[in-house]
Amino acid sequence: MSRRIALSVAAGVVVLGGAGAFALAHADGQSPVLAHSTARYTAPDGDRAGSLTFVTDVTASSGVKSVKVLAWPEKSSFAEKGPTAKDMADVEQAVCKPAPAGTHTVRCTYTVPVTRADAQSSPRGGWHVSVLATAKDGTTTLDPEAAGFTVG
């Protein structure tokens, strides 16, 4: 093999190795991804309390640090712009459990009981569920309308 070809091959390996390292570094800084988000509202009935359950899958290459959830009525102060990350800072967290081994995905569930008094005082109509997912590397994803439900 000539010296020129050997140098070209070596330079190609360096370039490809650098591109691969860049791709891996870039992948680590990716924001969490939400998928399969659903909300289910059940009104209280007789002596039985109701509930609101929200479920979502969150994928983050560095792992998931927290998933915060906020339910809000369509006819509220959030209607125009939706909640911000600052608004989500002090809301409750979902409980997340690992998906099958070898993935960076967790299934997060947020459940809150709904009493008769809660149901009677809640605005009727459409509601949205906002989600703020934070990865272990500090990147975040805010979905102001990850799912919806109706209070009748």
Side-chain angles (χ1 to χ4, degrees):
M1 179 177 347
S2 78
R3 196 169 185 199
R4 198 177 323 178
I5 292 174
L7 287 175
S8 295
V9 169
V13 169
V14 169
V15 168
L16 289 176
F22 174 77
L24 286 175
H26 184 66
D28 283 344
Q30 293 292 321
S31 296
V33 176
L34 303 172
H36 312 294
S37 299
T38 60
R40 188 182 70 226
Y41 172 79
T42 305
D45 185 24
D47 292 344
R48 183 182 55 84
S51 65
L52 168 62
T53 301
F54 171 77
V55 177
T56 191
D57 293 337
V58 183
T59 303
S61 58
S62 67
V64 176
K65 180 180 177 182
S66 69
V67 174
K68 296 185 176 190
V69 179
L70 174 67
W72 54 277
E74 280 182 356
K75 297 176 182 174
S76 72
S77 60
F78 293 131
E80 199 170 306
K81 294 183 182 178
T84 64
K86 184 178 178 182
D87 295 324
M88 301 288 292
D90 294 323
V91 302
E92 295 179 337
Q93 290 194 47
V95 174
C96 299
K97 295 184 179 179
T103 68
H104 298 286
T105 301
V106 294
R107 169 144 301 174
C108 301
T109 305
Y110 172 78
T111 302
V112 61
V114 177
T115 66
R116 183 170 303 288
D118 293 335
Q120 290 173 345
S121 66
S122 295
R124 303 287 180 252
W127 284 64
H128 300 288
V129 178
S130 297
V131 179
L132 176 65
T134 304
K136 289 182 179 176
D137 66 6
T139 58
T140 62
T141 296
L142 172 63
D143 186 344
E145 295 183 17
F149 63 96
T150 302
V151 174

